[in-house]
């Protein structure tokens, strides 16, 4: 597949924005964990994978880093989601500028509502919104705002003329 020079900045933005935003969202959840330890025993990516037919043994498969178990398939889903959402943000943003309102905050709110209030509860991945603790709503809402802002930072960076000359 040949990549044109005009699409190269978009590909850089998707890679950088997806990667950075996934790390930002991980970092946000350290001081503001969205789920109780009991509900996080099987996190939403693991629950989704189990609903799709993956065994609990595989969905909870981990790798060891610095003597810490890390859930590899949860991370793959987490990063994949961020890459796809970064691409979607850039794609929509090229057509409808209002999606970047408040430097991506509007997009973050829309993703939060779409996934944590509508889609995931309907799929049974998380409880209905009224059965989720307020801390989960707080963490996910503001986490998605910061997450989308980091995607927008890369959009602005990549659109800067000096970046395009590199």
């Amino acid at each position: 597949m040949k990549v044109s020079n005009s699409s190269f900045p978009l590909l850089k933005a998707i890679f950088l924005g997806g990667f950075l935003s996934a790390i930002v969202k991980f970092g946000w959840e350290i001081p503001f964990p969205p789920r109780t330890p009991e509900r996080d025993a099987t996190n939403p990516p693991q629950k989704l994978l189990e609903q799709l037919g993956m065994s609990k043994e595989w969905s909870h498969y981990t790798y060891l880093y610095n003597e810490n178990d890390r859930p590899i398939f949860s991370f793959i889903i987490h990063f994949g989601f961020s890459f796809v959402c970064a691409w979607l943000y850039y794609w929509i943003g090229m057509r409808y500028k209002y999606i970047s309102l408040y430097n991506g905050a509007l997009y973050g709110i829309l993703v939060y509502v779409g996934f944590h209030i509508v889609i995931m509860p309907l799929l049974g991945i998380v409880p209905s919104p009224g059965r989720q603790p307020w801390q989960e709503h707080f963490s996910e809402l503001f986490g998605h705002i910061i997450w989308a802002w980091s995607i927008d930072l890369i959009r602005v960076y990549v659109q800067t003329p000096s970046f395009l000359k590199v």
Side-chain angles (χ1 to χ4, degrees):
M1 178 176 112
K2 186 173 175 163
V3 178
S4 70
N5 286 340
S6 64
S7 65
F8 190 62
L10 176 63
L11 293 176
K12 281 185 176 180
I14 292 167
F15 177 76
L16 293 171
F19 184 78
L20 175 67
S21 66
I23 296 296
V24 164
K25 188 70 166 64
F26 275 144
W28 174 265
E29 291 182 358
I30 297 299
F32 304 109
R35 288 167 293 286
T36 61
E38 179 185 346
R39 280 207 30 242
D40 209 31
T42 298
N43 62 42
Q46 291 166 330
K47 176 90 177 204
L48 172 65
L49 292 170
E50 290 170 14
Q51 288 177 333
L52 294 173
M54 184 181 275
S55 71
K56 185 170 185 162
E57 179 182 346
W58 272 101
S59 71
H60 286 74
Y61 187 79
T62 61
Y63 67 93
L64 199 61
Y65 180 81
N66 196 22
E67 300 180 33
N68 292 283
D69 286 329
R70 311 310 314 153
I72 191 164
F73 293 115
S74 294
F75 288 2
I76 290 169
I77 297 290
H78 179 81
F79 276 88
F81 180 81
S82 288
F83 284 117
V84 169
C85 286
W87 170 79
L88 188 61
Y89 179 71
Y90 302 138
W91 186 81
I92 292 171
M94 287 188 283
R95 288 150 183 81
Y96 307 100
K97 300 294 182 207
Y98 65 85
I99 198 67
S100 61
L101 193 63
Y102 306 113
N103 297 99
L106 174 63
Y107 183 69
I109 293 167
L110 292 173
V111 170
Y112 160 73
V113 170
F115 281 89
H116 290 272
I117 303 298
V118 180
I119 295 170
M120 291 196 313
L122 284 175
L123 294 176
I125 296 170
V126 299
S128 65
R131 299 179 75 89
Q132 296 172 26
W134 71 267
Q135 295 95 330
E136 185 165 350
H137 291 293
F138 174 86
S139 177
E140 294 294 357
L141 172 62
F142 290 102
H144 279 84
I145 290 170
I146 299 296
W147 166 84
W149 174 71
S150 68
I151 293 172
D152 189 67
L153 280 175
I154 298 300
R155 177 189 64 85
V156 171
Y157 176 70
V158 169
Q159 289 178 342
T160 303
S162 62
F163 176 81
L164 296 176
K165 292 178 184 175
V166 174

